[in-house]
């Protein structure tokens, strides 16, 4: 599908280590602004966050 679109190549930059959604949003805006200042034109920005649920303790397992 991308090979037929206007933007055939879509290189991706991956950042990690933000503690919160708000911090990640701020970092995304900052990095996008720096890329534009350096002559790049980001066409799409996305953010993913791994949400870790607490592991439930089960009776009789010692957990």
């Amino acid at each position: 599908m991308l090979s037929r679109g206007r933007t055939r190549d879509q290189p991706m930059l991956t950042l990690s280590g933000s503690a919160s959604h708000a911090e990640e949003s701020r970092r995304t805006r900052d990095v996008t602004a720096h890329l534009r200042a350096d002559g790049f034109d980001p066409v799409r920005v996305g953010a993913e966050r791994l949400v870790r649920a607490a592991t439930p303790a089960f009776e009789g397992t010692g957990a």
Side-chain angles (χ1 to χ4, degrees):
M1 186 65 112
L2 290 176
S3 64
R4 289 186 254 156
R6 200 175 53 140
T7 307
R8 290 179 162 211
D9 296 319
Q10 295 188 14
M12 182 172 58
L13 173 65
T14 302
L15 306 173
S16 62
S18 294
S20 68
H21 178 73
E23 183 181 335
E24 187 62 33
S25 295
R26 181 193 55 75
R27 282 182 66 199
T28 300
R29 286 190 301 273
D30 291 348
V31 169
T32 301
H34 282 102
L35 288 169
R36 286 192 174 120
D38 288 340
F40 296 95
D41 185 24
V43 292
R44 185 169 61 181
V45 176
E48 296 179 14
R49 184 151 191 251
L50 176 63
V51 179
R52 296 188 179 163
T55 304
F58 296 100
E59 285 185 41
T61 62

